[in-house]
Amino acid sequence: MKDLFSGQAELYARYRPVYPRALFDYILGFVTRTDAALDCATGNGQVARSLSPSFRSVHAIDISENQLSHAVKAGNIHYQISPAEHTPFSDDTFNLVTVAQAYHWFDTAQFCREAKRIAQPDAVVAVWGYDLATVEPRIDPLIHHWNYDILSKYWEAERTHVTTHYEHLAFDFERLPSRDFQIIADWTLDEFIGHLRTWSALQTMIHAVGDGPFHEFLDELARAWTGSPRKRCTFPLFLKLGRVRKQRGDH
């Protein structure tokens, strides 16, 4: 897994959108036991914190020490540095394994093998991601142009899997019925800009050509951000959900 977010861990903790409670309630509806959950590529620990009231223990891993230093704390959350494809956990440990907005960075075939090893029989694996936000008709074309025309050459190739909703990535589990969700964030312009600054492609662009294009875009965005200073930003969220079925020799 690539580490593209250590350098902006503080921004990531402040400005990444919050996943809706309905998403977790839906996933938990398929979970048969609640002894232990694992959140992979946990980042700032947002998912681990959302899972902690429902599980006796939650383990959360990431390859970035800096990200984990900004992670939210709870008494039953245990953070440690580890890639998702090769973890330190014992066989048959977890009732739920989650990956939020990071599956496209994984070696997904290896992750599936590892998840089968550390998951209990009939455990649930849930991976999800979200795409570009919509705000208002005056603003949305600017965001679309910025992302798909200006930044497109600076996105890592793996980012394209988000736009295809992970359709072409390995997910070697018995598929469970899924549904789409929305992330709703009521943000000011400054908060939305804070979110834009967490994008890995922006950091790559700045290293390559400087921040001039970004400031030009921000000027356009500010001119379009009229009326109410706080606007509803809607992120479409997709979910892939599966159940672990084990046969002798799967370990």
Side-chain angles (χ1 to χ4, degrees):
M1 177 182 175
K2 296 181 179 181
D3 181 6
L4 301 173
F5 303 100
S6 288
Q8 62 254 39
E10 185 175 356
L11 283 172
Y12 194 95
R14 291 178 60 189
Y15 294 117
R16 282 288 169 146
V18 177
Y19 302 117
R21 185 66 234 174
L23 168 69
F24 297 103
D25 290 342
Y26 184 79
I27 293 169
L28 289 169
F30 295 94
V31 175
T32 56
R33 297 181 59 183
T34 55
D35 298 317
L38 172 66
D39 183 43
C40 301
T42 195
N44 63 5
Q46 181 194 145
V47 172
R49 181 66 186 89
S50 294
L51 294 175
S52 65
S54 301
F55 288 85
R56 183 176 303 169
S57 67
V58 176
H59 289 262
I61 58 175
D62 202 285
I63 61 173
S64 169
E65 183 177 4
N66 196 26
Q67 283 279 8
L68 294 181
S69 72
H70 290 84
V72 294
K73 304 298 189 291
N76 65 336
I77 301 178
H78 311 282
Y79 292 105
Q80 65 188 103
I81 297 173
S82 173
E85 299 91 341
H86 302 280
T87 73
F89 305 111
S90 301
D91 296 350
D92 300 335
T93 297
F94 297 105
N95 312 115
L96 173 67
V97 178
T98 59
V99 185
Q101 194 68 1
Y103 198 59
H104 48 292
W105 305 121
F106 287 8
D107 177 337
T108 53
Q110 178 57 40
F111 168 81
C112 290
R113 290 190 289 270
E114 181 69 353
K116 283 186 175 182
R117 182 186 71 79
I118 62 177
Q120 293 187 357
D122 298 327
V124 171
V125 177
V127 305
W128 64 87
Y130 58 87
D131 215 334
L132 206 62
T134 58
V135 185
E136 289 180 353
R138 285 172 55 90
I139 295 171
D140 294 345
L142 299 177
I143 300 171
H144 189 279
H145 175 67
W146 172 246
N147 182 68
Y148 291 106
D149 298 328
I150 307 302
L151 278 188
S152 58
K153 69 178 76 172
Y154 302 107
W155 281 115
E156 297 283 332
E158 294 90 338
R159 186 61 173 71
T160 60
H161 291 298
V162 175
T163 60
T164 59
H165 295 188
Y166 297 164
E167 178 183 352
H168 304 298
L169 296 179
F171 192 72
D172 190 19
F173 308 101
E174 180 183 285
R175 294 299 292 270
L176 293 171
S178 186
R179 50 164 288 198
D180 294 335
F181 294 85
Q182 291 182 334
I183 304 172
I184 304 296
D186 291 320
W187 278 342
T188 64
L189 175 60
D190 285 345
E191 288 170 324
F192 190 77
I193 292 172
H195 168 69
L196 294 174
R197 291 185 185 278
T198 69
W199 292 9
S200 60
L202 174 63
Q203 308 309 315
T204 302
M205 186 204 74
I206 290 173
H207 287 307
V209 300
D211 59 3
F214 184 51
H215 287 292
E216 291 177 10
F217 166 61
L218 294 186
D219 289 342
E220 291 184 290
L221 189 61
R223 287 193 292 270
W225 200 282
T226 57
S228 173
R230 190 170 291 276
K231 299 187 183 298
R232 175 152 294 193
C233 307
T234 303
F235 298 81
L237 185 151
F238 60 92
L239 170 68
K240 296 188 78 167
L241 204 58
R243 192 174 300 282
V244 175
R245 299 299 190 192
K246 292 197 177 187
Q247 300 176 359
R248 184 173 298 177
D250 280 351
H251 294 165

